[in-house]
Amino acid sequence: METKKYPYCDLNRYRNLFVELGLVLALGICFFAFEVKTNVKKVESIGTVVVQDVEDEIIPITRQEQVKPPEPPPPPRVVEVLNIVADDVEIEDELEIEDTEADEETEIDVAPVVATYETEEKEEETQIFYIVEEMPEFPGGELALRTFIAKAIKYPVVAQENGIQGKVYVSFVVGKDGRVSNARVIRSIDPALDEEALRVVNSLPIWKPGRQQGKPVRVAFSVPISFVLQ
């Protein structure tokens, strides 16, 4: 069924014309907006600059007060006491001056003079040297000394049961006659081992004594005695 409409009432026939007019009008408004100029007023001055004085803050400097040490007390005053005595007063403590002149009858006590060589001999007898010109020597030398000690040692049973072993250092003195004396332990391991080491050292035979300036002297000597479990 066809719609019947009067041609002059149809709005679509002016549609293209209205679109073109709208575009032309919009473009014209845009161009006009771009062409409009605004006048900028010139500023003659930007105002006055006021300089304000700022006071610097002064920070006080604090210092620790030094404590002075107390002054030492004044030295004690020495006061001399003078006893004023009248001329007619007798003084009990008078200074007596004896006559020191000697004559033929004067006896003089003289202390006995002891010879110094006796004291020197005593000092030499008691003096013990550690290093001398000829050191003491065991009969047969150092190897013979080790062999003697190894054969003389009897390992204590208590030390064997407890598994104790090591070295005991014994110090002794070889006298002028070569005999061993003053044996003592200077490094201990166990009381039983120490006692056995002292027994062996005290059983050492006579040594060749040490000499200093051709004279036999007493010399300190030390030996290590090893105890080893096999």
Side-chain angles (χ1 to χ4, degrees):
M1 188 175 175
E2 296 180 2
T3 57
K4 293 180 179 181
K5 197 175 214 180
Y6 295 105
Y8 65 86
C9 293
D10 189 6
L11 298 177
N12 289 328
R13 62 178 181 173
Y14 300 110
R15 180 180 180 182
N16 294 331
L17 180 62
F18 291 154
V19 171
E20 292 177 359
L21 291 174
L23 290 174
V24 171
L25 182 60
L27 288 173
I29 293 172
C30 290
F31 283 121
F32 177 76
F34 283 113
E35 291 295 331
V36 174
K37 296 181 180 180
T38 57
N39 296 325
V40 180
K41 294 182 179 180
K42 294 183 180 180
V43 180
E44 295 180 356
S45 64
I46 58 175
T48 58
V49 179
V50 180
V51 179
Q52 183 177 2
D53 296 333
V54 179
E55 296 181 358
D56 296 334
E57 184 179 358
I58 300 173
I59 301 175
I61 300 174
T62 58
R63 295 183 180 178
Q64 187 176 2
E65 296 183 359
Q66 296 181 355
V67 180
K68 295 182 179 180
E71 296 181 357
R77 298 178 62 185
V78 179
V79 180
E80 296 182 358
V81 179
L82 300 177
N83 295 326
I84 301 173
V85 182
D87 294 338
D88 55 350
V89 176
E90 295 182 358
I91 301 175
E92 297 180 358
D93 298 333
E94 291 185 354
L95 181 62
E96 296 181 359
I97 301 175
E98 297 180 356
D99 187 7
T100 57
E101 293 182 0
D103 52 10
E104 296 179 355
E105 297 179 355
T106 305
E107 296 180 359
I108 301 174
D109 296 333
V110 180
V113 179
V114 180
T116 56
Y117 66 89
E118 295 181 359
T119 57
E120 291 178 357
E121 288 180 356
K122 290 182 180 179
E123 289 180 357
E124 289 180 359
E125 290 178 359
T126 57
Q127 186 177 6
I128 298 175
F129 293 85
Y130 291 90
I131 298 176
V132 292
E133 296 173 354
E134 297 181 15
M135 293 296 291
E137 185 179 353
F138 186 82
E142 186 177 355
L143 182 60
L145 174 62
R146 294 180 181 178
T147 304
F148 179 87
I149 293 174
K151 291 181 180 180
I153 287 178
K154 295 180 181 180
Y155 214 113
V157 180
V158 177
Q160 291 181 4
E161 293 177 352
N162 295 328
I164 301 173
Q165 59 182 355
K167 286 185 179 181
V168 178
Y169 288 83
V170 181
S171 173
F172 55 92
V173 177
V174 179
K176 295 181 180 180
D177 55 356
R179 298 181 183 276
V180 175
S181 62
N182 299 338
R184 60 187 183 90
V185 176
I186 57 177
R187 183 177 177 183
S188 174
I189 295 178
D190 182 77
L193 299 181
D194 298 344
E195 185 178 355
E196 178 63 18
L198 290 175
R199 185 192 68 80
V200 173
V201 169
N202 288 323
S203 66
L204 292 175
I206 296 176
W207 290 46
K208 180 182 177 182
R211 290 181 175 273
Q212 182 72 11
Q213 297 179 355
K215 297 181 181 180
V217 291
R218 303 178 68 195
V219 182
F221 207 86
S222 62
V223 292
I225 300 179
S226 300
F227 293 87
V228 181
L229 293 174
Q230 297 180 354

